[in-house]
Amino acid sequence: MSAAPTGAMPAITYNFAYLDEQTKRMIRRAILKAIAIPGYQVPFAAREMPMPYGWGTGGVQVTAAVLGPDDVLKVIDQGADDTTNAVAIRGFFEKTAGVATTTATREATIIQTRHRIPETALSEEQILVYQVPIPEPLRFLEPRETETRALHALAEYGLMHVKLYEDIARHGHIATTYAYPVEVAGRYVMDPSPIPKFDNPKMDDCPALQLFGAGREKRIYAIPPYTSVRSLDFDDHPFRVQRFDKPCALCGAEGVYLDEVILDDRGGRMFVCSDTDHCEGRQAEGHVGEMGVAGGSPSPRPSSPRGEGVAGGTPHLSPRGGGRPVGAGEGASGAEKLP
Amino acid sequence: MTDQPLLVAEGLSKNYGARIGCRDVCLAVHPGEVLAVVGESGSGKSTLLGLLSTELTPDAGRVSYRMRDGRLADLSTLGPAERRLLMRTDWGFVRQSPEAGLRMAVSAGGNVGERLMAVGWRHYGDIRAEALDWLARVEIAADRIDDDPRAFSGGMRQRLQIARNLVTRPRLVFMDEPTGGLDVSVQARLLDLVRSLVAELGLAVVIVTHDLAVARLLSHRMVVMRHGRVIETGLTDQVLDDPREAYTQLLVSSVLAA
């Protein structure tokens, strides 16, 4: 497995994919156990990684453990390939493993993600690695770790419904829009990481292997291919995903998750695909949204709301445009239309 | 009341290191019966309650409980899953401090509904209707259902705790000083409520109290504890009006007459 990075030899040489072989073995064991018990949080000896907690230390370790020299890696953050987190982690593995990287979902064999599942359907040949901040779905309901472990062991998940009850009592509907709890394979209740609940149905019966790594909390869990994943709900308040009024402003896609981008300080805004690869692919196929540019080449994304300094070709770019786009799942968004 | 006891304790002992928590306690609680455990602070009342409710493990002796199917099961032989199911369906535990017995960050309706959801209720409307019904029974106004208990007075919190425990129609409720820390008029209302609920639902109750007036008002039988041992048992009025042991006589004579 150990191979020196290709190209000019740098001053520092890394073991393949940064981690030493013993560490990768340890993580692979945890992954195998996690796959054997879908949804169960397996403790593992997470290492310090050369990045701060909260930036994907868990996901990076899982990726490093499953990565081979022939793999093609894609890294997304909030659906985008061009954000700081995605660019940094992609660069990390280019440097330490010398693997090929891509932004195209179809070409990737391993996709590390933060906060989204790609719009393009995944295949059996792919592994989706999630970065997880807080793996315990019961954490904010029951602060004692000993107690939450007992609740998982005995499958006592009434508490999870107390949270949903509170949502309905306060808001009239289930207001949890991200990190929406799911039941995996009819047994363990799991936090799907802070993906919008829009993506929850994609986890159900997914052909790809889904791995979840939480670095700070030192937990790994998994959903094997073709496993049932059910979002918790009430009989009279069934689970529903977010819906959007308008299609993507650039590619006209419907039924995809949209980001709100503020264009100026006079209330101008647009809604664009959160999945950049999906959006660019559609534009290349000739789909044009109401604010897109016809003629083949993808129109420049109106921002750099994702922080990566994309050439700003859009007029009326407000100073606030430099911020993070507001995902409809995470805050107030005009696009979110709830039943 | 039937002849068959609901809860039976035999030779219960618990030591905290060299100190005695509770020594050689035997008692039986029958369905529909209210048993008061009285004694001064440090006499082992709360230890006994902990042992009976399986929150503490006895060093010697055993506790048996008559399950719904009629068999008398030794509680130490039940698995943790079965024991927890028992605790959240067939039993209730009303604690002295409502903060310990309630989820303070969850609304009153959520607090009452938690046990229902834990036993598999998955219909929001039904859970809410049941919660409203129970709030009415414990005299909490319906418009407070979405307030969390931090906004409630001490007496309301205690009534909410009672509703939360009774919603699954338990057969046995443990109460640890339920009126402690409440002023007298609130105490009186709470006792009145408990008494009527106990009568209405046919509950068996084990109530720990240092307040003999509470014992007299609520209980049918009582157990007097001192230094971890039971020194006197009997019908409540018999023990209170004609105490046999010297210590019980002291206890009864220590009550201040208003």
Side-chain angles (χ1 to χ4, degrees):
Chain A
M1 292 283 286
S2 6
T6 53
M9 187 68 76
I12 304 168
T13 53
Y14 296 99
N15 189 37
F16 179 78
Y18 187 78
L19 293 173
D20 62 274
E21 295 305 315
Q22 286 301 320
T23 299
K24 286 195 270 185
R25 274 179 78 170
M26 173 272 293
I27 295 172
R28 286 179 197 135
R29 284 195 184 115
I31 292 172
L32 287 174
K33 184 168 179 180
I35 294 169
I37 317 172
Y40 172 74
Q41 299 167 46
V42 182
F44 80 113
R47 301 294 196 243
E48 295 259 346
M49 296 303 284
M51 56 176 64
Y53 287 127
W55 286 73
T57 53
V60 161
Q61 290 179 77
V62 170
T63 301
V66 297
L67 195 67
D70 300 330
D71 274 315
V72 180
L73 181 68
K74 170 183 164 79
V75 184
I76 50 175
D77 169 13
Q78 306 267 10
D81 292 281
D82 58 0
T83 57
T84 311
N85 200 209
V87 170
I89 292 172
R90 202 162 55 226
F92 176 79
F93 283 112
E94 280 169 2
K95 185 167 185 175
T96 61
V99 293
T101 57
T102 181
T103 59
T105 304
R106 277 196 190 82
E107 291 167 16
T109 55
I110 297 175
I111 303 169
Q112 181 170 333
T113 178
R114 171 174 178 270
H115 293 202
R116 276 311 307 279
I117 296 174
E119 304 289 357
T120 310
L122 302 177
S123 72
E124 286 179 6
E125 281 71 43
Q126 294 176 310
I127 300 177
L128 189 58
V129 178
Y130 296 77
Q131 301 170 202
V132 182
I134 297 160
E136 178 52 70
L138 301 164
R139 172 64 70 243
F140 294 110
L141 303 158
E142 175 53 68
R144 291 167 294 177
E145 178 75 19
T146 47
E147 181 68 9
T148 55
R149 281 190 210 177
L151 294 175
H152 281 295
L154 302 170
E156 275 183 25
Y157 291 125
L159 208 49
M160 207 71 249
H161 275 85
V162 173
K163 180 185 189 305
L164 301 181
Y165 171 93
E166 289 290 288
D167 263 2
I168 303 173
R170 283 178 211 281
H171 305 288
H173 58 87
I174 298 179
T176 303
T177 48
Y178 66 97
Y180 192 103
V182 293
E183 181 197 77
V184 182
R187 175 61 177 82
Y188 282 94
V189 165
M190 186 192 92
D191 183 335
S193 87
I195 59 170
K197 68 177 175 183
F198 181 88
D199 285 342
N200 273 19
K202 295 180 194 162
M203 292 191 290
D204 183 33
D205 209 31
C206 176
L209 171 63
Q210 301 174 75
L211 302 174
F212 298 77
R216 176 170 31 208
E217 304 256 344
K218 298 177 169 44
R219 295 287 185 278
I220 285 174
Y221 49 103
I223 304 174
Y226 302 111
T227 301
S228 86
V229 177
R230 190 178 64 80
S231 302
L232 301 182
D233 60 3
F234 284 103
D235 297 344
D236 49 346
H237 286 267
F239 173 78
R240 287 205 187 101
V241 298
Q242 294 102 327
R243 286 180 295 147
F244 297 90
D245 290 334
K246 289 187 188 175
C248 169
L250 294 180
C251 75
E254 293 185 25
V256 296
Y257 195 72
L258 301 181
D259 278 340
E260 179 183 16
V261 179
I262 294 172
L263 297 175
D264 52 36
D265 56 2
R266 296 186 301 277
R269 61 192 58 207
M270 67 192 290
F271 292 92
V272 295
C273 286
S274 134
D275 185 337
T276 52
D277 169 59
H278 184 72
C279 195
E280 283 160 12
R282 278 179 56 85
Q283 289 178 60
E285 288 166 17
H287 297 278
V288 183
E290 61 176 12
M291 294 170 85
V293 182
S297 77
S299 37
R301 296 188 64 86
S303 63
S304 39
R306 295 153 203 277
E308 265 308 298
V310 176
T314 318
H316 315 305
L317 190 63
S318 84
R320 285 188 292 164
R324 193 174 268 281
V326 182
E330 286 181 66
S333 161
E336 188 177 359
K337 191 170 79 181
L338 282 145
Chain B
M1 261 183 249
T2 62
D3 292 342
Q4 289 197 318
L6 192 62
L7 185 79
V8 181
E10 294 158 285
L12 275 186
S13 296
K14 172 85 181 169
N15 292 336
Y16 298 107
R19 274 176 242 287
I20 295 170
C22 186
R23 175 61 60 88
D24 211 17
V25 174
C26 300
L27 56 81
V29 183
H30 289 76
E33 178 186 51
V34 180
L35 177 74
V37 180
V38 301
E40 61 190 11
S41 293
S43 60
K45 308 186 299 277
S46 295
T47 301
L48 176 61
L49 200 66
L51 291 171
L52 292 177
S53 63
T54 72
E55 289 194 347
L56 298 173
T57 324
D59 295 329
R62 62 180 184 160
V63 184
S64 311
Y65 179 71
R66 192 163 309 278
M67 311 296 273
R68 295 230 180 207
D69 59 13
R71 83 195 147 92
L72 197 64
D74 183 346
L75 292 178
S76 64
T77 63
L78 296 184
E82 212 174 352
R83 202 153 58 214
R84 291 174 76 114
L85 182 70
L86 195 67
M87 289 184 84
R88 65 169 190 261
T89 55
D90 228 16
W91 290 3
F93 202 130
V94 177
R95 292 168 200 282
Q96 177 172 5
S97 135
E99 290 78 19
L102 292 172
R103 290 192 189 278
M104 298 304 281
V106 168
S107 70
N111 264 294
V112 177
E114 181 178 341
R115 275 177 164 230
L116 298 174
M117 292 180 246
V119 297
W121 286 41
R122 291 292 178 265
H123 191 282
Y124 175 81
D126 292 353
I127 294 166
R128 195 153 174 95
E130 190 75 5
L132 277 170
D133 179 44
W134 274 97
L135 289 181
R137 286 192 192 207
V138 297
E139 297 164 23
I140 293 174
D143 62 357
R144 304 300 300 270
I145 186 170
D146 292 333
D147 293 350
D148 67 47
R150 285 175 297 211
F152 285 10
S153 68
M156 280 175 78
R157 289 179 187 185
Q158 208 53 295
R159 295 203 298 275
L160 180 61
Q161 205 194 160
I162 289 168
R164 172 179 159 89
N165 274 284
L166 297 188
V167 69
T168 49
R169 320 276 161 148
R171 293 191 295 158
L172 176 63
V173 178
F174 300 100
M175 296 188 182
D176 189 2
E177 304 272 13
T179 57
L182 300 178
D183 64 55
V184 281
S185 59
V186 175
Q187 252 191 47
R189 275 182 64 197
L190 187 75
L191 290 173
D192 212 33
L193 177 76
V194 171
R195 194 162 59 165
S196 58
L197 284 175
V198 163
E200 188 187 327
L201 302 169
L203 289 175
V205 178
V206 179
I207 182 169
V208 159
T209 180
H210 64 273
D211 188 340
L212 294 182
V214 170
R216 186 188 282 278
L217 201 64
L218 285 183
S219 68
H220 305 122
R221 271 197 314 134
M222 62 190 284
V223 165
V224 183
M225 290 191 74
R226 191 189 191 198
H227 298 331
R229 289 173 189 275
V230 172
I231 57 165
E232 186 163 353
T233 59
L235 298 175
T236 299
D237 48 357
Q238 173 202 334
V239 173
L240 289 178
D241 295 340
D242 186 15
R244 191 158 46 87
E245 293 290 322
Y247 174 74
T248 317
Q249 291 168 5
L250 178 74
L251 206 62
V252 170
S253 66
S254 304
V255 177
L256 295 174

